[in-house]
Amino acid sequence: MKNVNVVAAIICDDYKKKTKIFATQRGYGDFKDGWEFPGGKIEEGETPEEALVREIREELGTEIEVHDLIDVIDYDYDTFHLHMNCYWATVVEGKLQLLEHEAAKWLEVNDLRSVAWLPADISLLPKIAAGMVDKNVEYYNENADSFFDGSVVADMSESRDKFTALLPEKAAVLDAGCGSGRDSKAFMEAGYEVTAFDASPEMRKRASEYIGQEVLDMRFEEMSFENKFDGIWASASLLHVPMDQLPEIMGKMNKALKDGGVIYASFKYGDGTKMRGERKFSDFNEKSVIPLFENAGFEILRNDVGSDNRPGRESEMWVEVIARKE
């Protein structure tokens, strides 16, 4: 099988604080319409970095600076073996022009899987995501003290009681996106075995101290639990998962539950994707939330609309769902 040595540029908006990366759609060849990171073949006598600067100049009419090597991808296509050196890069001169590609997009970390990547490129996504800044997570990192103080005092006992009434004694509970750890602590005090995770390092630090137990460093898309929990508590956490990724995440939730297990989830009341400040939300109402759960294999037991429990925010509305794994 023929070996093809190439380089790829993961062009980011800012090298120190990567919030967006540049993806391109092929306009020619066997892989036309597939999405990829721009780059190309290394010519004789070139270093990978030199090849990448030349390729981006030819493809996008732009001068770039090549930064760190992210990974080296080896992938077997049907007719050749691809060896691809992948680097972070930034634009230093000129505007990105589509001289060979048919389309391009700037993608935030939560949008990385929104395009149809070529197989070799998609294998790079986890490492790219690990190096990028999630604006939602960054918000909680930067406002950890105020968010902790504001949420830890919210009275969620009524919702928790509806949820725990469906659990067996000493149930295994997953607090998915635990935030302050408020509910994890309540579940632990009630005698449940609690596993908690959150994507924000600053919130994990505060929650771990508050509940006296380590909070796992995890994002929803990294969940790999199978038949492990009697209940999943996702209070005001799934609302930051992009709409197009929620079906996959709900499938992971279903898979993580034991047969007959239950899930609680709450969303801000509305319809569709909304920006509130720098944060992006997926909003639902009592009707639009139904297919999200039913299509993932859940039977909805409760579907309630209520007001915010945090002091001073009673006018904000939420939709709360409790459902059982079918």
Side-chain angles (χ1 to χ4, degrees):
M1 183 179 289
K2 181 174 69 172
N3 288 313
V4 178
N5 295 318
V6 302
V7 284
I10 291 68
I11 300 172
C12 54
D13 55 342
D14 184 281
Y15 178 58
K16 291 185 178 180
K17 191 174 182 179
K18 307 172 183 71
T19 63
K20 297 179 182 179
I21 57 98
F22 192 69
T24 53
Q25 187 177 30
R26 287 180 69 92
Y28 60 91
D30 293 339
F31 302 105
K32 185 180 184 301
D33 297 330
W35 286 80
E36 64 179 357
F37 296 106
K41 294 181 181 179
I42 302 173
E43 294 183 353
E44 187 175 351
E46 285 184 321
T47 66
E49 293 86 348
E50 290 169 343
L52 196 53
V53 170
R54 173 186 54 76
E55 284 286 346
I56 298 305
R57 184 185 302 129
E58 293 173 357
E59 291 184 12
L60 298 170
T62 304
E63 296 297 323
I64 62 167
E65 179 179 356
V66 179
H67 299 285
D68 297 344
L69 178 71
I70 302 173
D71 201 359
V72 178
I73 302 297
D74 283 284
Y75 188 86
D76 287 329
Y77 284 98
D78 291 341
T79 58
F80 64 94
H81 174 82
L82 184 74
H83 182 80
M84 182 167 65
N85 290 271
C86 308
Y87 294 86
W88 290 114
T90 50
V91 174
V92 294
E93 184 180 344
K95 295 183 178 180
L96 294 164
Q97 308 170 59
L98 301 185
L99 303 179
E100 297 182 8
H101 297 90
E102 62 180 90
K105 290 182 179 180
W106 284 99
L107 302 176
E108 296 182 4
V109 63
N110 288 323
D111 302 321
L112 288 181
R113 296 184 183 273
S114 65
V115 299
W117 294 101
L118 295 177
D121 295 77
I122 199 171
S123 64
L124 186 64
L125 296 186
K127 289 196 174 180
I128 291 176
M132 293 180 69
V133 172
D134 183 327
K135 289 183 178 179
N136 286 331
V137 173
E138 190 71 4
Y139 171 87
Y140 294 106
N141 286 335
E142 293 175 353
N143 299 277
D145 286 332
S146 61
F147 185 80
F148 179 90
D149 292 341
S151 62
V152 78
V153 297
D155 183 5
M156 290 294 294
S157 58
E158 183 177 349
S159 296
R160 283 197 304 267
D161 288 346
K162 295 174 184 177
F163 173 69
T164 56
L166 301 168
L167 299 179
E169 284 189 40
K170 299 182 180 179
V173 175
L174 175 67
D175 191 352
C178 69
S180 66
R182 171 199 63 214
D183 301 310
S184 286
K185 186 170 185 177
F187 293 137
M188 293 168 69
E189 290 175 347
Y192 298 116
E193 179 186 336
V194 176
T195 299
F197 74 78
D198 202 273
S200 163
E202 291 300 323
M203 292 310 302
R204 287 198 304 275
K205 183 192 306 181
R206 287 156 180 78
S208 295
E209 182 178 352
Y210 182 63
I211 69 175
Q213 175 180 302
E214 181 186 5
V215 173
L216 301 180
D217 176 7
M218 187 180 296
R219 298 172 62 90
F220 285 108
E221 59 267 30
E222 296 171 329
M223 286 178 53
S224 59
F225 304 112
E226 292 188 34
N227 194 36
K228 182 175 177 64
F229 300 103
D230 299 292
I232 295 177
W233 180 263
S235 176
S237 56
L238 284 168
L239 47 69
H240 287 314
V241 177
M243 281 286 186
D244 61 348
Q245 295 179 32
L246 269 171
E248 179 183 355
I249 299 305
M250 292 303 294
K252 287 179 176 288
M253 294 288 189
N254 187 286
K255 192 173 184 179
L257 283 170
K258 300 175 184 178
D259 291 342
V262 294
I263 181 173
Y264 167 92
S266 58
F267 300 87
K268 284 185 177 291
Y269 191 86
D271 193 14
T273 301
K274 298 289 190 301
M275 291 298 300
R276 295 179 174 93
E278 295 183 357
R279 291 179 293 167
K280 184 182 292 186
F281 291 80
S282 294
D283 291 356
F284 289 89
N285 57 47
E286 67 271 34
K287 293 183 179 179
S288 63
V289 79
I290 293 173
L292 176 66
F293 283 82
E294 291 185 344
N295 292 342
F298 290 102
E299 174 195 4
I300 294 178
L301 305 177
R302 299 189 65 101
N303 184 358
D304 302 319
V305 176
S307 58
D308 201 304
N309 292 310
R310 289 170 293 182
R313 301 181 66 168
E314 292 82 3
S315 62
E316 298 180 29
M317 303 302 292
W318 293 77
V319 59
E320 299 180 303
V321 175
I322 296 178
R324 177 180 282 120
K325 177 176 180 177
E326 293 182 329

